[in-house]
Amino acid sequence: MRKNGDKQNSIGRSVLGLSPLFLLLLPNCFPSLFSPLSRAYPRLFSEWNAPKPMHLNLLEPALRRRVTDDLVDDDEIATKLWSPLPDQGWTPCQHSSNISPKQSRGYIQVFLDGGLNQQRMGICDAVAVAKILNATLVIPHLEENPVWQDSSSFADIFDVDHFINILSEEISIVKELPTGYSWSTREYYATGIRATRIKTAPVHASPLWYTENVIPVIKSYGIAAIAPFSHRLAFDNLPSDIQRLRCKVNFQALAFVPHIKLLAESLVSRLRDPTSRNREREHINLQKNRGVGKYVVLHLRFDKDMAAHSACDFGGGEAEKRALAKYRQVIWQGRVVNSQFTDDELRTQGRCPLTPEEIGLLLAALGFDNNTQLYLASHKVYGGEARISALRKLFPLLEDKRSLLSAEERSRIDGKASLSAAVDYHVSMQSDIFISASPGNMHNALLGHRAYKNLKTIRPNMVLLGKLFLNKSMEWSDFKQAVVDGHKNRHGQIRLRKEKQSIYTYPVPDCMCKS
């Protein structure tokens, strides 16, 4: 009997020893069970603290606009909102060398890190560098992003044959190296110092740097591999043919593979005809919906990395502040410039990304009503559904890939952040209006691409909005007027590129000519 008792005591002690681990792991497996506990134990369950609305003085009257707008004739405002941009006098420059590429000096490889849109810009730069060096470009290698953990290759995302065909008159491109150079792989360069690897390319290097430092390597070995390569070509003081070539790559040569476009077009079709979906949509008043058949894409860049790095207060209380501060310490060892400023200072400087609630208030103030079809282009929203609840109340027709695609359709891109981003990119390019809650690579890429196509894109006035949102006593009518006045020239009007600015964000005047 004593042996059995000892055995039971031993088991009990084991269970007790495992219980703290079990307690920590259980919220990860069943987070929905722990929302009540999050309020009782904020240190342990801080990720489940539901953020409260930060701007009730504006949110409540903004929600009431659904009633009052039916009584006011806003047809003129709605017409201006949804109407396409007028001709602004700029068209894409006609670019064609009409000259076959010269005899190639050798091969050039690049290894690109970052997310889809950072890699996209790197591909454009790689083509330009190959042209400068008169080298044959090997289809770029896309590194697996440690954040998104997506191993998709160039061929998984972009149409390789289209890419090669469009650029055939500019440079020579090969899908893979010939047998004699098959040793030049990512693994080869990861296991030692190699004479053919160029790893000292400075950020925004000049063409002269490449001719002086890379051509000798190609002459000696027949090949040069450049890594890292992101942001490794200057935007200024380049020949006009090189600048236009970069835009030709970005806006013409980089086409998504057919199955990505097909999936994206399915989304576009469902967004343009919401009544075609088998859903309860009793609150849709098609007679009053002045934007019927149209949709807005909202790029909501609000993941945990962004929230932590901004060092701003997002309404999640002290628990959220502690959680984000701890995350900053772990990821960046506390080296975040914004941390030295108060939240008020950051907002006054326009350095805080807009929360889902704030971007919703901006759209409502601009005149978008609650029948607006809104598509959410986002990888993951920090705070989940609780974070976007205010936005959903303001715009009930809020959709994303999960709500519009079937489980089978989603399975084609699940776990593939780059493919998912490619779908969102295509849907964004087809939208009537695009708006981003904060600057970033996707914002920059689409801002430039839509300018190239003369499509309407709203650029939030971050400094103005930061100051307005700090005023907790502001009336809705005053907020609305200030927003409208502060965004009159931020709906896609052409902006000329300034020194050091990206040609991919501001393609005028390098890539567009006066019509």
Side-chain angles (χ1 to χ4, degrees):
M1 292 291 291
R2 183 176 180 181
K3 286 184 178 180
N4 288 337
D6 290 344
K7 185 176 180 180
Q8 289 175 348
N9 288 336
S10 176
I11 293 172
R13 284 193 299 271
S14 298
V15 171
L16 287 173
L18 289 173
S19 60
L21 178 62
F22 177 72
L23 184 61
L24 287 172
L25 290 177
L26 192 58
N28 289 318
C29 301
F30 305 102
S32 62
L33 298 178
F34 285 85
S35 54
L37 291 178
S38 69
R39 290 184 286 276
Y41 302 99
R43 289 179 184 272
L44 186 57
F45 301 104
S46 60
E47 297 298 331
W48 289 275
N49 270 17
K52 298 177 181 178
M54 298 177 67
H55 310 289
L56 282 174
N57 61 309
L58 300 174
L59 182 59
E60 290 176 349
L63 289 170
R64 289 197 297 271
R65 86 195 191 283
R66 294 181 293 184
V67 177
T68 58
D69 280 0
D70 285 343
L71 306 177
V72 180
D73 185 4
D74 282 342
D75 284 340
E76 185 177 348
I77 295 175
T79 299
K80 287 182 179 179
L81 273 177
W82 290 108
S83 61
L85 284 174
D87 182 1
Q88 300 187 68
W90 293 89
T91 57
C93 298
Q94 296 300 314
H95 175 73
S96 178
S97 63
N98 293 321
I99 300 174
S100 299
K102 300 176 185 177
Q103 184 65 36
S104 173
R105 285 193 172 99
Y107 296 97
I108 183 171
Q109 288 177 290
V110 295
F111 300 92
L112 302 172
D113 54 15
L116 173 68
N117 293 295
Q118 182 174 321
Q119 291 171 335
R120 183 187 186 102
M121 297 170 199
I123 293 165
C124 301
D125 287 348
V127 171
V129 168
K131 180 78 169 181
I132 291 167
L133 300 176
N134 190 28
T136 297
L137 177 67
V138 184
I139 289 293
H141 174 88
L142 308 185
E143 301 275 25
E144 181 173 350
N145 189 291
V147 176
W148 310 124
Q149 297 180 334
D150 185 352
S151 59
S152 299
S153 68
F154 186 106
D156 291 330
I157 304 169
F158 299 109
D159 187 328
V160 175
D161 291 330
H162 175 82
F163 180 75
I164 293 174
N165 181 57
I166 290 294
L167 300 172
S168 60
E169 294 184 348
E170 307 291 348
I171 64 168
S172 175
I173 304 174
V174 295
K175 295 180 181 179
E176 56 186 28
L177 286 165
T179 305
Y181 293 97
S182 60
W183 48 266
S184 185
T185 63
R186 182 68 184 86
E187 292 70 28
Y188 172 75
Y189 294 108
T191 55
I193 299 174
R194 310 297 185 184
T196 51
R197 179 183 174 184
I198 307 291
K199 59 180 181 180
T200 57
V203 173
H204 298 154
S206 68
L208 180 61
W209 187 92
Y210 283 99
T211 57
E212 290 181 345
N213 293 273
V214 182
I215 286 180
V217 176
I218 295 178
K219 283 184 175 179
S220 297
Y221 302 98
I223 189 171
I226 309 176
F229 188 71
S230 296
H231 310 294
R232 289 310 194 272
L233 183 61
F235 291 120
D236 302 311
N237 302 316
L238 270 73
S240 61
D241 64 319
I242 296 296
Q243 296 287 63
R244 292 179 182 179
L245 175 59
R246 295 165 94 175
C247 287
K248 183 176 182 179
V249 181
N250 195 26
F251 305 133
Q252 298 178 42
L254 286 175
F256 296 124
V257 292
H259 76 87
I260 290 294
K261 289 199 284 189
L262 187 62
L263 194 60
E265 282 299 328
S266 296
L267 286 167
V268 172
S269 177
R270 293 164 198 177
L271 286 164
R272 294 217 179 276
D273 186 13
T275 59
S276 67
R277 302 192 295 280
N278 295 323
R279 303 185 57 175
E280 292 294 329
R281 291 283 176 116
E282 295 179 359
H283 54 281
I284 298 179
N285 186 342
L286 293 179
Q287 299 301 316
K288 290 288 184 181
N289 188 358
R290 291 173 285 259
V292 66
K294 301 178 181 181
Y295 70 95
V296 178
V297 167
L298 165 58
H299 176 231
L300 190 57
R301 185 170 175 251
F302 205 82
D303 53 54
K304 190 172 184 178
D305 265 33
M306 182 282 305
H309 198 270
S310 72
C312 299
D313 179 8
F314 297 112
E318 288 302 319
E320 182 177 86
K321 289 180 184 178
R322 287 195 297 269
L324 293 179
K326 184 175 182 180
Y327 188 81
R328 275 195 296 275
Q329 186 61 40
V330 171
I331 302 298
W332 300 288
Q333 291 73 53
R335 296 191 298 271
V336 175
V337 174
N338 281 8
S339 297
Q340 63 186 294
F341 299 102
T342 66
D343 183 71
D344 284 8
E345 289 171 333
L346 290 171
R347 291 187 179 279
T348 301
Q349 298 167 27
R351 297 169 74 168
C352 288
L354 299 177
T355 66
E357 176 191 1
E358 289 168 344
I359 197 75
L361 290 169
L362 166 62
L363 290 170
L366 287 172
F368 293 100
D369 61 30
N370 68 312
N371 282 328
T372 300
Q373 187 74 54
L374 202 61
Y375 177 80
L376 191 62
S378 177
H379 176 65
K380 181 181 287 187
V381 176
Y382 176 59
E385 183 62 30
R387 182 75 68 183
I388 64 173
S389 61
L391 175 64
R392 194 177 295 282
K393 289 176 182 177
L394 287 165
F395 296 96
L397 304 189
L398 178 66
E399 306 283 6
D400 59 14
K401 291 185 288 294
R402 183 164 295 278
S403 66
L404 290 174
L405 296 177
S406 67
E408 188 278 326
E409 288 172 320
R410 291 198 304 272
S411 69
R412 304 174 202 169
I413 56 175
D414 276 349
K416 299 288 185 180
S418 292
L419 300 186
S420 180
V423 169
D424 281 343
Y425 191 101
H426 186 88
V427 174
S428 299
M429 281 302 299
Q430 302 303 312
S431 68
D432 299 278
I433 299 168
F434 174 81
I435 184 170
S436 182
S438 64
N441 287 324
M442 185 168 180
H443 163 90
N444 294 338
L446 281 162
L447 191 66
H449 203 161
R450 289 178 66 87
Y452 193 76
K453 299 284 189 180
N454 198 41
L455 300 174
K456 184 168 284 189
T457 304
I458 297 175
R459 293 183 301 108
N461 187 332
M462 304 297 282
V463 173
L464 169 68
L465 292 169
K467 294 175 181 177
L468 293 179
F469 286 130
L470 283 174
N471 187 344
K472 300 303 181 182
S473 61
M474 176 170 271
E475 298 286 338
W476 171 250
S477 58
D478 295 334
F479 176 79
K480 184 174 180 178
Q481 189 61 55
V483 166
V484 170
D485 291 343
H487 289 80
K488 283 182 178 176
N489 296 312
R490 303 179 73 91
H491 289 247
Q493 288 82 358
I494 289 292
R495 300 177 73 198
L496 300 184
R497 187 179 73 85
K498 299 176 182 178
E499 187 177 3
K500 296 183 180 180
Q501 286 184 331
S502 170
I503 194 173
Y504 306 121
T505 308
Y506 303 102
V508 182
D510 302 85
C511 300
M512 302 185 74
C513 299
K514 279 285 188 180
S515 57

